Protein backbone atom coordinates (compact mmCIF):
# COMPACT_ATOMS: atom_id res chain seq x y z
CA UNK A 1 0.00 0.00 0.00
CA UNK A 2 2.82 2.43 0.89
CA UNK A 3 4.40 1.89 -2.56
CA UNK A 4 1.13 2.81 -4.25
CA UNK A 5 0.90 6.01 -2.21
CA UNK A 6 4.46 6.99 -3.11
CA UNK A 7 3.93 6.13 -6.80
CA UNK A 8 0.75 8.19 -6.80
CA UNK A 9 2.58 11.19 -5.30
CA UNK A 10 5.40 10.82 -7.81
CA UNK A 11 3.04 10.87 -10.76
CA UNK A 12 1.14 13.85 -9.35
CA UNK A 13 4.20 16.11 -9.29
CA UNK A 14 3.92 17.81 -12.71
CA UNK A 15 6.83 20.10 -13.23
CA UNK A 16 8.44 18.97 -10.00
CA UNK A 17 11.07 16.89 -11.77
CA UNK A 18 12.07 19.68 -14.13
CA UNK A 19 12.13 22.14 -11.22
CA UNK A 20 14.40 19.81 -9.23
CA UNK A 21 16.71 19.34 -12.20
CA UNK A 22 16.86 23.09 -12.82
CA UNK A 23 17.60 23.87 -9.17
CA UNK A 24 20.26 21.14 -9.07
CA UNK A 25 22.08 22.61 -12.07
CA UNK A 26 21.65 26.15 -10.74
CA UNK A 27 23.21 25.02 -7.46
CA UNK A 28 26.25 23.36 -9.01
CA UNK A 29 26.89 26.02 -11.65
CA UNK A 30 26.18 29.24 -9.72
CA UNK A 31 29.04 31.70 -10.03
CA UNK A 32 30.35 33.43 -6.94
CA UNK A 33 29.32 37.03 -6.44
CA UNK A 34 31.67 39.50 -8.09
CA UNK A 35 33.24 42.31 -6.00
CA UNK A 36 30.72 44.85 -7.31
CA UNK A 37 27.85 42.51 -6.38
CA UNK A 38 29.30 41.98 -2.90
CA UNK A 39 29.48 45.76 -2.51
CA UNK A 40 25.81 46.02 -3.54
CA UNK A 41 24.78 43.41 -0.94
CA UNK A 42 26.75 45.32 1.69
CA UNK A 43 24.93 48.50 0.66
CA UNK A 44 21.50 46.81 0.85
CA UNK A 45 22.37 45.43 4.31
CA UNK A 46 24.27 48.46 5.68
CA UNK A 47 23.93 48.66 9.46
CA UNK A 48 22.64 45.08 9.68
CA UNK A 49 25.59 42.94 10.82
CA UNK A 50 23.44 39.87 11.66
CA UNK A 51 21.82 39.93 8.23
CA UNK A 52 25.24 40.35 6.57
CA UNK A 53 26.65 37.37 8.47
CA UNK A 54 23.60 35.28 7.60
CA UNK A 55 23.77 36.20 3.91
CA UNK A 56 27.51 35.64 3.51
CA UNK A 57 27.32 32.45 5.61
CA UNK A 58 25.30 30.84 2.82
CA UNK A 59 26.75 28.64 0.09
CA UNK A 60 27.70 30.39 -3.13
CA UNK A 61 24.54 29.23 -4.94
CA UNK A 62 22.22 30.59 -2.25
CA UNK A 63 24.08 33.90 -2.24
CA UNK A 64 23.68 34.04 -6.01
CA UNK A 65 19.96 33.17 -5.82
CA UNK A 66 19.32 35.77 -3.11
CA UNK A 67 21.28 38.41 -5.00
CA UNK A 68 19.45 37.74 -8.26
CA UNK A 69 16.07 37.73 -6.49
CA UNK A 70 16.95 41.08 -4.86
CA UNK A 71 17.98 42.52 -8.25
CA UNK A 72 14.66 41.38 -9.71
CA UNK A 73 12.78 43.11 -6.89
CA UNK A 74 14.93 46.22 -7.30
CA UNK A 75 13.90 46.41 -10.97
CA UNK A 76 10.22 46.00 -10.05
CA UNK A 77 10.16 48.17 -6.91
CA UNK A 78 13.38 50.16 -6.67
CA UNK A 79 11.91 52.41 -3.96
CA UNK A 80 11.24 49.47 -1.61
CA UNK A 81 14.45 48.52 0.20
CA UNK A 82 12.40 46.35 2.58
CA UNK A 83 11.26 44.15 -0.34
CA UNK A 84 14.80 44.03 -1.72
CA UNK A 85 16.06 42.80 1.67
CA UNK A 86 13.20 40.28 1.87
CA UNK A 87 14.24 38.78 -1.47
CA UNK A 88 17.93 38.87 -0.58
CA UNK A 89 17.53 37.09 2.77
CA UNK A 90 14.58 34.71 2.35
CA UNK A 91 16.65 31.50 2.12
CA UNK A 92 19.33 32.16 4.77
CA UNK A 93 17.88 29.37 6.92
CA UNK A 94 18.97 26.72 4.40
CA UNK A 95 22.58 27.02 5.49
CA UNK A 96 21.77 25.38 8.82
CA UNK A 97 21.07 22.08 7.04
CA UNK A 98 24.53 22.15 5.42
CA UNK A 99 23.39 20.09 2.43
CA UNK A 100 25.11 19.90 -0.94
CA UNK A 101 23.34 19.61 -4.27
CA UNK A 102 22.50 15.89 -4.00
CA UNK A 103 21.42 16.24 -0.36
CA UNK A 104 19.03 19.04 -1.31
CA UNK A 105 17.50 16.99 -4.10
CA UNK A 106 17.06 14.00 -1.80
CA UNK A 107 15.62 16.16 0.98
CA UNK A 108 13.19 17.81 -1.43
CA UNK A 109 12.04 14.43 -2.74
CA UNK A 110 11.59 13.07 0.76
CA UNK A 111 9.62 16.16 1.78
CA UNK A 112 7.38 16.01 -1.30
CA UNK A 113 6.84 12.28 -0.93
CA UNK A 114 6.20 12.64 2.81
CA UNK A 115 8.94 10.16 3.66
CA UNK A 116 10.75 10.10 7.00
CA UNK A 117 13.25 12.94 7.24
CA UNK A 118 16.74 12.93 8.69
CA UNK A 119 17.53 15.77 11.13
CA UNK A 120 19.35 17.74 8.42
CA UNK A 121 16.48 17.24 5.98
CA UNK A 122 14.11 18.60 8.63
CA UNK A 123 16.32 21.67 8.96
CA UNK A 124 16.18 22.09 5.19
CA UNK A 125 12.38 21.72 5.20
CA UNK A 126 12.10 24.26 8.02
CA UNK A 127 14.52 26.80 6.51
CA UNK A 128 11.80 29.46 6.26
CA UNK A 129 10.97 29.24 9.95
CA UNK A 130 14.68 29.22 10.83
CA UNK A 131 15.35 32.29 8.67
CA UNK A 132 12.38 34.14 10.17
CA UNK A 133 13.64 33.46 13.70
CA UNK A 134 17.14 34.56 12.77
CA UNK A 135 15.89 37.74 11.05
CA UNK A 136 13.47 38.68 13.81
CA UNK A 137 14.82 42.21 14.14
CA UNK A 138 14.28 43.00 10.43
CA UNK A 139 11.16 44.62 8.94
CA UNK A 140 8.00 42.53 9.11
CA UNK A 141 7.97 41.85 5.35
CA UNK A 142 11.51 40.44 5.52
CA UNK A 143 10.62 38.10 8.37
CA UNK A 144 7.23 37.08 6.98
CA UNK A 145 8.47 36.41 3.45
CA UNK A 146 11.26 34.22 4.84
CA UNK A 147 8.72 32.33 6.96
CA UNK A 148 6.01 31.94 4.30
CA UNK A 149 7.71 31.89 0.89
CA UNK A 150 7.03 28.15 0.45
CA UNK A 151 3.68 28.17 2.25
CA UNK A 152 1.66 31.01 0.78
CA UNK A 153 0.95 34.68 1.30
CA UNK A 154 0.28 35.70 4.88
CA UNK A 155 -2.24 38.51 5.48
CA UNK A 156 0.61 40.78 6.62
CA UNK A 157 2.03 41.01 3.06
CA UNK A 158 -0.04 42.73 0.37
CA UNK A 159 -0.91 40.75 -2.74
CA UNK A 160 1.16 43.15 -4.87
CA UNK A 161 4.26 42.84 -2.70
CA UNK A 162 3.81 39.06 -2.54
CA UNK A 163 3.68 38.81 -6.33
CA UNK A 164 6.87 40.86 -6.71
CA UNK A 165 8.69 38.71 -4.13
CA UNK A 166 7.35 35.37 -5.37
CA UNK A 167 8.19 36.17 -8.98
CA UNK A 168 11.72 37.09 -7.94
CA UNK A 169 12.08 33.84 -6.00
CA UNK A 170 10.88 31.74 -8.96
CA UNK A 171 13.11 33.39 -11.53
CA UNK A 172 16.02 31.27 -12.67
CA UNK A 173 19.52 32.58 -13.11
CA UNK A 174 20.89 31.85 -16.54
CA UNK A 175 24.66 31.90 -16.18
CA UNK A 176 26.19 34.33 -18.62
CA UNK A 177 22.98 36.32 -19.11
CA UNK A 178 22.99 38.34 -15.89
CA UNK A 179 22.81 42.08 -15.86
CA UNK A 180 26.29 43.55 -15.73
Amino acid sequence: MRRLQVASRLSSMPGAWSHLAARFFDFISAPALRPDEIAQVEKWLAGRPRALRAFFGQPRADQRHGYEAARSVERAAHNRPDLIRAALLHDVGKRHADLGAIGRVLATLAIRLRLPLTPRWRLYRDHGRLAAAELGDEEAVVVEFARHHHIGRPPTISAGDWEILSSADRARVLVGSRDR
Side-chain angles (χ1 to χ4, degrees):
M1 182 61 146
R2 178 82 175 143
R3 269 184 223 239
L4 288 174
Q5 290 172 335
V6 169
S8 173
R9 281 184 241 150
L10 280 171
S11 65
S12 68
M13 292 173 29
W17 296 110
S18 62
H19 173 78
L20 282 176
R23 290 293 184 199
F24 173 80
F25 288 109
D26 285 348
F27 188 86
I28 63 171
S29 65
L33 296 181
R34 299 184 317 265
D36 61 305
E37 294 169 331
I38 291 170
Q40 182 61 60
V41 169
E42 290 170 342
K43 181 178 173 187
W44 286 329
L45 298 178
R48 293 173 159 82
R50 283 180 56 188
L52 272 168
R53 279 191 304 277
F55 181 83
F56 287 113
Q58 298 179 105
R60 176 185 70 220
D62 293 331
Q63 288 180 29
R64 171 59 56 196
H65 169 64
Y67 175 81
E68 296 295 344
R71 288 290 312 230
S72 176
V73 169
E74 184 179 51
R75 286 187 292 274
H78 68 278
N79 61 336
R80 293 291 306 276
D82 57 335
L83 295 185
I84 294 168
R85 283 189 291 278
L88 186 69
L89 297 168
H90 73 279
D91 277 338
V92 297
K94 285 183 179 179
R95 73 187 197 289
H96 299 293
D98 194 27
L99 294 175
I102 299 295
R104 287 175 177 220
V105 169
L106 294 174
T108 301
L109 286 171
I111 292 162
R112 289 184 180 184
L113 296 173
R114 296 185 205 114
L115 299 174
L117 303 178
T118 69
R120 287 172 53 192
W121 290 358
R122 282 193 298 276
L123 288 172
Y124 187 75
R125 178 198 61 200
D126 297 338
H127 75 272
R129 181 184 54 76
L130 293 169
E134 191 169 9
L135 299 170
D137 58 349
E138 291 291 327
E139 299 101 327
V141 70
V142 174
V143 175
E144 291 303 297
F145 186 63
R147 183 186 329 276
H148 293 280
H149 69 279
H150 285 293
I151 301 168
R153 183 178 72 85
T156 56
I157 299 178
S158 74
D161 288 352
W162 183 261
E163 182 53 36
I164 289 169
L165 290 166
S166 295
S167 292
D169 186 26
R170 286 189 307 268
R172 292 218 29 241
V173 176
L174 300 176
V175 177
S177 67
R178 300 188 315 256
D179 292 338
R180 293 282 179 192

